[in-house]
Amino acid sequence: PMANRATKEIYPPGSTFKLITSAAALEGDLTPDSIIDASSYQLPGSTRVISGYCGGSQITLAQALKVSCNPGFARLGVSLGQDALRTQAEKFGFGTSFLSDIGGAASKFPDELDDAQTAMSAIGEFEVAATPLQMAMVAAAVQNGGVVMEPYLVESVQTHDMRVISQARPRQHGTAVSESVADSLHDMMVSVVENGTGRRAQISGLTIGGKTG
């Protein structure tokens, strides 16, 4: 019960990683309305087939995220290539340790992948591993116009008479995606909650965006 799972442990992010795959696609030539192949996908050089009904064999990228389409994102990951996925993950903070004063671990995207491993990594499997903090930072960056912020634990320290003796100042870690891409991801994440796999996250009166995984 005392394990620091939020910042010190890394886990397979699963389908939450599709946000990063989507970001890489949108930073390239795709838009939320771009059509991707969502039919069953046999991994290159493997007998394993990734399948699942995604609303059709040809669907938009937005629809693929909304229903968390494994074959569509696996195929898309191979099309984008491992370097694009790794670079996008690192822009969101993968490979960097945060909150090191309490034992922050760096999230990781594996190196030297073949196409089958790239496909699995694109859907957050194989050897992709992230802290819960890291995936929260991905979502926060989308809401923040694509800018990733450095996390901190203590906002301020005050004396008994409320005099501030230290104050945390927000610092940018970097820019993960353009503002226009962040806007597109924002709308896609809202659709996940309003009409897709994330319906259980709905809160009456609020606009909620998210991604199941």
Side-chain angles (χ1 to χ4, degrees), residues 54-66:
C54 301
S57 60
Q58 301 291 315
I59 63 175
T60 65
L61 178 61
Q63 168 73 7
L65 191 72
K66 183 171 72 173

Side-chain angles (χ1 to χ4, degrees), residues 110-123:
D111 294 319
E112 299 180 4
L113 304 176
D114 61 27
D115 283 348
Q117 293 165 342
T118 300
M120 297 304 296
S121 297
I123 59 175

Side-chain angles (χ1 to χ4, degrees), residues 17-31 61 73 76-77 79-92 109 122 138 176-178 181-182 185 188:
F17 191 84
K18 291 171 185 171
L19 292 173
I20 295 175
T21 304
S22 295
L26 293 168
E27 285 282 270
D29 298 329
L30 272 64
T31 71
L61 178 61
F73 274 101
L76 178 60
S79 175
L80 292 169
Q82 61 169 307
D83 291 340
L85 294 175
R86 186 178 302 104
T87 297
Q88 188 63 73
E90 289 172 352
K91 286 182 177 180
F92 276 109
F109 187 90
V138 171
V177 293
S178 67
V181 167
L185 283 169
M188 290 163 66

Side-chain angles (χ1 to χ4, degrees), residues 38 68-69 99 127 142 207:
S68 201
C69 179
L99 301 180
E127 293 179 355
V142 171
T207 299

Side-chain angles (χ1 to χ4, degrees), residues 86-163:
R86 186 178 302 104
T87 297
Q88 188 63 73
E90 289 172 352
K91 286 182 177 180
F92 276 109
F94 275 65
T96 301
S97 296
F98 298 100
L99 301 180
S100 57
D101 50 339
I102 60 168
S107 302
K108 66 176 184 177
F109 187 90
D111 294 319
E112 299 180 4
L113 304 176
D114 61 27
D115 283 348
Q117 293 165 342
T118 300
M120 297 304 296
S121 297
I123 59 175
E125 299 185 15
F126 187 53
E127 293 179 355
V128 180
T131 62
L133 172 68
Q134 173 64 77
M135 298 316 295
M137 289 172 62
V138 171
V142 171
Q143 179 65 13
N144 197 40
V147 178
V148 180
M149 303 299 293
E150 294 274 352
Y152 56 86
L153 287 173
V154 179
E155 183 176 23
S156 66
V157 177
Q158 302 175 346
T159 62
H160 69 282
D161 58 356
M162 307 302 287
R163 181 171 53 88

